Amino acid sequence: MENFSFYSPTYFEFGKDAELKAGELVKQFGGTKVLLHFGGQSARKSGLLDRVEKALTDAGISYVSLGGVKPNPRSGLVYEGIELAKKEGVDFLLAVGGGSVIDSAKAIAAGVLYDGDFWDFYSGKQVEKALPVGTILTIAAAGSEGSPDSVITKEEGMYKRGTGSNALRPKFSILNPALTQTLPAYQTAAGATDIMAHLYERYLTNSKDVEVTDRLIEALLLTMKHETPRVIADPNNYEARANIMWAGMVAHNNTCGVGRSQDWNSHNIEHELSALYDCAHGAGLAVTMPAVFKYVMNHDIMRFAKVAVRVWGCQMDFDHPEVTALEGINAFQNFLCSIGMPKNFEELGAKEEDIPKLVDVLCHGDGRQGSISGFVTLNEDDCTKIYKMML
Ligand code: NZQ
Ligand code: ZN
């Protein structure tokens, strides 16, 4: 295991009606004037926003609202939010929604306290300080409710890039699994896929002797394998939703990623797909991961064979571990298809003729030097082959 520092100070309020505590929590964490940030229609339609607004008012917290965050959130609304927050003297960001809303709120929180262009943080500059952010999560997926990360798409060039800093970890996150019961099945499945991707990206490591985090990841993958079909079959299954919601947080606040190198090539390759086609991030990952895994599995065949046996129930073939490894990847892909995720470019709405453009932005966009690295380093030729495997 490698040396690590781990600081994860988010306070979690979990369970039914937890959102009613929003006002008190903002106060507890020092907020007096809130920018209430949300997405399209879902939070208003479900009545959640009304309850949150009342909770703020009851606690004596004033607020201004900025809705309209789109999935794969854009820089345009971030600039708008920064202006609004400065003008109104906002001192706290409250995000009501999924990863897109939370990431947009984090970007605004960093941008308000910075004199330059907030995009600097998404092209290499470290975020040192940000306004405090609280979240009320409505979809178990991105893990942004506990993570130090934010992913934004710059409209000019459609670059989708991330930044990470402990200053961006939410001060509190409200997790009420019942809020996720209104999700369409496709979004539920895309969220589950993203959670499993966050686990695989950490599982694919070059660090030795990391049994504790390996086992944590396997337990979380097994949980997702068990619970996801249960919520697809019954969207109102609160207990299954609760297990998935907490798994999504633990999968990405880095509890199971400390002390080990991590991959993230699947995420980088996918981000170009959701930037170009505006597909759900999880759906893009469902198509990306099996291709990446098959392409890189020979780098450490026993790691892929191990997850195949421990999570996917495959029989270990000691003479031909590559057979076991491949069986595990195929079992994972079949599972993703069974919950309604796409399996190739066509089902995702991606186009073969765009591959050169995807590879160019992936490997050269925004300062990259012709390759991406993680579990293995992938150059333009590798990335082209991987996208072609998704056809
Ligand atoms: O806008 P509304 O109307 O709310 O609809 C949303 C949106 O269309 C809908 N939705 C959310 N909660 C709902 C609901 N519909 C009905 N009932 C509910 N309770 O779901 C759609 C997707 O929402 P979004 O926030 O985009 O989903 P997700 O949480 O999957 O976030 C995806 C974004 O997070 C980034 C992704 O790249 C993508 O941009 N990521 C962020 C990470 C992080 N900050 O740590 C890590 C991830 O790997 C990921 O890259
Ligand atoms: Zn993700």
Side-chain angles (χ1 to χ4, degrees):
M1 199 189 295
E2 294 165 22
N3 293 353
F4 66 86
S5 315
F6 184 52
Y7 179 65
S8 178
T10 306
Y11 175 94
F12 292 99
E13 191 68 44
F14 191 100
K16 289 174 185 160
D17 297 328
E19 66 275 13
L20 302 181
K21 298 189 177 150
E24 288 307 322
L25 283 169
V26 169
K27 206 192 268 180
Q28 188 181 321
F29 286 94
T32 59
K33 176 87 185 263
V34 163
L35 176 61
L36 185 60
H37 204 33
F38 48 92
Q41 291 304 315
S42 74
R44 182 62 74 193
K45 217 167 115 189
S46 67
L48 172 61
L49 273 177
D50 298 337
R51 294 199 294 285
V52 172
E53 286 163 354
K54 183 171 181 314
L56 291 173
T57 306
D58 288 351
I61 307 280
S62 61
Y63 61 89
V64 284
S65 299
L66 181 64
V69 180
K70 293 189 178 133
N72 306 310
R74 310 291 162 84
S75 50
L77 198 67
V78 173
Y79 289 115
E80 213 180 295
I82 292 168
E83 281 305 304
L84 182 65
K86 283 183 178 167
K87 191 174 111 214
E88 295 283 342
V90 159
D91 59 14
F92 200 98
L93 271 288
L94 182 59
V96 181
S100 296
V101 175
I102 299 171
D103 287 2
S104 184
K106 287 176 175 177
I108 295 169
V112 170
L113 299 185
Y114 180 60
D115 285 337
D117 182 347
F118 93 91
W119 190 255
D120 293 349
F121 298 126
Y122 294 76
S123 31
K125 190 176 172 64
Q126 183 68 18
V127 176
E128 304 288 351
K129 54 184 179 170
L131 287 181
V133 176
T135 86
I136 301 176
L137 187 64
T138 62
I139 171 172
S144 191
E145 67 277 13
S147 84
D149 306 320
S150 162
V151 185
I152 301 289
T153 300
K154 187 182 189 181
E155 277 140 321
E156 194 187 305
M158 293 309 275
Y159 292 127
K160 189 173 185 184
R161 295 289 181 264
T163 190
S165 161
N166 279 329
L168 295 177
R169 286 200 195 249
K171 295 289 175 250
F172 70 80
S173 282
I174 291 177
L175 273 55
N176 174 359
L179 297 178
T180 67
Q181 287 173 199
T182 53
L183 278 165
Y186 188 82
Q187 286 296 344
T188 298
T193 306
D194 192 20
I195 292 169
M196 295 177 92
H198 297 160
L199 295 164
Y200 264 102
E201 297 277 23
R202 291 178 165 90
Y203 202 78
L204 299 186
T205 185
N206 293 310
S207 307
K208 301 291 172 217
D209 291 321
V210 284
E211 192 66 8
V212 63
T213 39
D214 271 0
R215 291 287 188 181
L216 282 171
I217 293 169
E218 289 158 9
L220 288 159
L221 283 171
L222 283 165
T223 302
M224 295 304 296
K225 183 183 160 201
H226 177 70
E227 299 290 25
T228 308
R230 292 191 339 128
V231 289
I232 299 294
D234 175 11
N236 294 321
N237 185 332
Y238 177 88
E239 297 303 336
R241 293 255 183 218
N243 279 298
I244 290 175
M245 199 167 213
W246 192 242
M249 201 299 293
V250 181
H252 201 46
N253 86 330
N254 215 26
T255 299
C256 52
V258 293
R260 55 196 289 146
S261 70
Q262 303 179 7
D263 187 5
W264 301 101
N265 279 337
S266 292
H267 265 69
N268 284 322
I269 291 170
E270 189 292 318
H271 280 162
E272 304 312 338
L273 296 172
S274 44
L276 189 61
Y277 305 111
D278 214 9
C279 56
H281 168 61
L285 285 166
V287 175
T288 305
M289 283 186 286
V292 172
F293 295 175
K294 285 175 194 165
Y295 194 80
V296 304
M297 71 178 198
N298 287 328
H299 177 67
D300 186 350
I301 206 77
M302 289 311 288
R303 183 146 282 278
F304 280 97
K306 186 162 92 164
V307 71
V309 171
R310 290 182 179 178
V311 173
W312 299 105
C314 303
Q315 284 294 317
M316 184 66 204
D317 182 338
F318 285 99
D319 294 329
H320 303 285
E322 70 283 1
V323 172
T324 313
L326 193 57
E327 265 180 36
I329 297 169
N330 288 334
F332 180 38
Q333 185 163 36
N334 290 339
F335 171 83
L336 296 174
C337 292
S338 76
I339 59 169
M341 286 289 94
K343 66 171 182 300
N344 54 33
F345 254 40
E346 193 186 347
E347 289 183 14
L348 188 68
K351 297 194 187 79
E352 182 175 4
E353 61 263 32
D354 291 333
I355 289 177
K357 185 160 68 179
L358 289 164
V359 172
D360 186 48
V361 184
L362 174 66
C363 296
H364 293 283
D366 241 11
R368 289 201 183 128
Q369 302 292 319
S371 64
I372 53 170
S373 38
F375 186 52
V376 298
T377 296
L378 300 170
N379 62 25
E380 286 172 79
D381 186 41
D382 299 317
C383 294
T384 303
K385 286 180 181 147
I386 288 169
Y387 280 124
K388 286 193 170 164
M389 287 166 72
M390 301 183 210
L391 293 174

Coordinates of all heavy atoms in Angstrom, one line a residue, residues 15 19 23 46 74 89 100 107 114 126 134-135 154 158 161 207-208 230 236 306 312 351 354 357 365 378 386:
G15 N -31.5 9.7 5.1 CA -32.8 9.0 5.4 C -34.0 9.8 5.0 O -33.9 10.9 4.4
E19 N -34.2 16.2 3.9 CA -34.1 17.5 3.3 C -34.8 18.6 4.1 O -34.5 19.8 3.9 CB -34.7 17.5 1.8 CG -36.2 17.3 1.8 CD -36.6 15.8 1.8 OE1 -35.8 15.0 2.1 OE2 -37.8 15.5 1.5
G23 N -32.2 24.0 6.0 CA -32.0 25.3 6.6 C -31.1 25.3 7.8 O -30.2 26.1 7.9
S46 N -41.4 17.4 -8.3 CA -41.6 16.5 -7.2 C -42.0 17.2 -5.9 O -42.3 16.5 -4.9 CB -40.3 15.7 -6.9 OG -39.3 16.5 -6.4
R74 N -22.6 23.0 -18.3 CA -21.9 23.8 -19.2 C -21.3 25.0 -18.4 O -21.8 25.5 -17.4 CB -22.8 24.4 -20.3 CG -23.6 23.3 -21.0 CD -22.7 22.4 -21.8 NE -23.4 21.2 -22.2 CZ -24.2 21.0 -23.2 NH1 -24.5 22.0 -24.0 NH2 -24.8 19.9 -23.4
G89 N -24.1 38.9 -3.0 CA -23.4 38.7 -1.7 C -23.7 37.4 -1.1 O -23.8 37.2 0.1
S100 N -24.5 16.8 -11.9 CA -24.4 18.0 -12.8 C -24.6 19.2 -12.0 O -23.9 20.2 -12.1 CB -25.4 17.9 -14.0 OG -25.0 16.8 -14.8
A107 N -18.2 24.6 -9.1 CA -17.5 25.6 -10.0 C -17.8 27.0 -9.7 O -16.9 27.9 -9.7 CB -17.9 25.3 -11.5
Y114 N -12.3 33.9 -7.0 CA -11.2 34.0 -7.9 C -11.3 35.1 -8.9 O -12.4 35.3 -9.4 CB -11.1 32.6 -8.6 CG -9.9 32.5 -9.6 CD1 -8.6 32.5 -9.1 CD2 -10.2 32.2 -10.9 CE1 -7.6 32.4 -10.0 CE2 -9.1 32.0 -11.8 CZ -7.8 32.1 -11.4 OH -6.8 31.9 -12.2
Q126 N -4.8 24.6 -9.4 CA -5.4 24.0 -8.2 C -6.4 25.0 -7.6 O -6.1 26.2 -7.4 CB -4.3 23.7 -7.3 CG -4.7 23.0 -6.0 CD -5.2 21.5 -6.3 OE1 -5.0 21.0 -7.3 NE2 -6.0 21.0 -5.3
G134 N -23.3 22.9 0.0 CA -24.1 21.9 0.6 C -24.8 21.2 -0.5 O -25.1 21.9 -1.6
T135 N -25.2 20.0 -0.4 CA -25.9 19.3 -1.5 C -27.2 18.6 -0.9 O -27.2 18.1 0.2 CB -25.1 18.3 -2.2 OG1 -25.1 17.0 -1.6 CG2 -23.6 18.7 -2.4
K154 N -16.8 23.0 -21.3 CA -16.6 24.3 -21.9 C -17.2 24.3 -23.2 O -16.9 23.6 -24.1 CB -15.1 24.6 -22.0 CG -14.7 26.0 -22.4 CD -13.2 26.1 -22.5 CE -12.8 27.5 -22.7 NZ -11.4 27.6 -22.9
M158 N -16.2 22.4 -26.7 CA -16.9 21.2 -26.1 C -15.9 20.3 -25.3 O -15.8 19.1 -25.5 CB -17.7 20.4 -27.1 CG -18.9 21.1 -27.6 SD -20.0 21.9 -26.3 CE -21.0 20.5 -25.8
R161 N -13.9 18.7 -18.9 CA -12.7 18.5 -18.0 C -13.1 18.6 -16.5 O -14.1 19.2 -16.2 CB -11.7 19.6 -18.3 CG -11.1 19.5 -19.7 CD -10.2 18.3 -19.9 NE -9.6 18.2 -21.2 CZ -10.1 17.5 -22.3 NH1 -11.2 16.8 -22.1 NH2 -9.5 17.5 -23.4
S207 N -0.6 -0.8 -7.9 CA -0.1 -0.9 -6.5 C -0.2 -2.3 -6.0 O -1.2 -3.0 -6.3 CB -0.9 0.1 -5.6 OG -0.9 1.4 -6.1
K208 N 0.7 -2.7 -5.3 CA 0.7 -4.1 -4.8 C 0.1 -4.2 -3.3 O 0.2 -3.2 -2.6 CB 2.2 -4.7 -4.7 CG 2.9 -4.6 -6.0 CD 2.3 -5.7 -7.0 CE 2.9 -5.5 -8.4 NZ 1.9 -5.7 -9.5
R230 N -33.0 -4.9 -8.5 CA -34.2 -4.8 -7.6 C -34.8 -3.4 -7.8 O -36.1 -3.3 -7.7 CB -33.8 -5.0 -6.1 CG -33.4 -6.4 -5.9 CD -33.2 -6.9 -4.5 NE -32.9 -6.0 -3.4 CZ -33.6 -5.9 -2.3 NH1 -34.6 -6.8 -2.1 NH2 -33.3 -5.1 -1.3
N236 N -39.8 1.8 -6.4 CA -40.1 2.3 -5.1 C -39.5 1.5 -4.0 O -39.9 1.7 -2.8 CB -41.7 2.4 -4.9 CG -42.3 3.4 -5.8 OD1 -41.7 4.5 -6.0 ND2 -43.4 3.1 -6.4
K306 N -9.3 -12.1 -11.0 CA -9.8 -12.0 -9.6 C -11.2 -11.4 -9.5 O -12.0 -12.0 -8.8 CB -8.7 -11.2 -8.8 CG -9.0 -11.2 -7.3 CD -7.7 -10.7 -6.6 CE -7.7 -9.3 -6.3 NZ -6.7 -8.8 -5.3
W312 N -18.1 -11.8 -10.2 CA -19.0 -12.3 -11.3 C -19.2 -13.8 -11.2 O -19.9 -14.3 -12.1 CB -18.5 -11.8 -12.7 CG -18.6 -10.3 -12.7 CD1 -17.5 -9.4 -12.6 CD2 -19.7 -9.4 -12.7 NE1 -17.9 -8.1 -12.6 CE2 -19.2 -8.1 -12.6 CE3 -21.1 -9.6 -12.7 CZ2 -20.1 -7.0 -12.6 CZ3 -21.9 -8.5 -12.7 CH2 -21.5 -7.2 -12.7
K351 N -21.1 8.1 -33.5 CA -20.9 7.8 -34.9 C -19.4 7.5 -35.2 O -18.5 8.2 -34.7 CB -21.2 9.1 -35.8 CG -22.7 9.4 -35.7 CD -23.0 10.4 -36.8 CE -24.4 11.0 -36.7 NZ -24.6 12.0 -35.6
D354 N -16.9 10.1 -36.4 CA -16.4 11.1 -35.4 C -15.1 10.6 -34.7 O -14.5 11.4 -33.9 CB -17.5 11.4 -34.4 CG -18.6 12.2 -35.0 OD1 -18.4 12.9 -36.0 OD2 -19.8 12.0 -34.4
K357 N -12.0 12.8 -34.5 CA -12.3 14.0 -33.7 C -12.2 13.7 -32.2 O -11.6 14.4 -31.4 CB -13.7 14.6 -34.1 CG -14.0 15.9 -33.5 CD -15.1 16.7 -34.2 CE -16.4 16.0 -34.1 NZ -17.5 16.7 -34.8
G365 N -6.6 17.8 -26.6 CA -7.4 18.9 -26.1 C -6.8 19.4 -24.8 O -6.3 18.7 -24.0
L378 N -2.2 5.2 -22.8 CA -2.8 4.9 -24.1 C -2.5 6.1 -25.0 O -2.8 7.3 -24.7 CB -4.4 4.8 -23.9 CG -4.8 3.7 -23.0 CD1 -6.3 3.8 -22.7 CD2 -4.5 2.3 -23.6
I386 N -9.6 1.5 -29.4 CA -10.6 1.3 -28.3 C -12.0 1.8 -28.8 O -13.0 1.1 -28.7 CB -10.2 1.9 -27.0 CG1 -9.0 1.1 -26.4 CG2 -11.3 2.0 -26.0 CD1 -8.3 1.8 -25.2

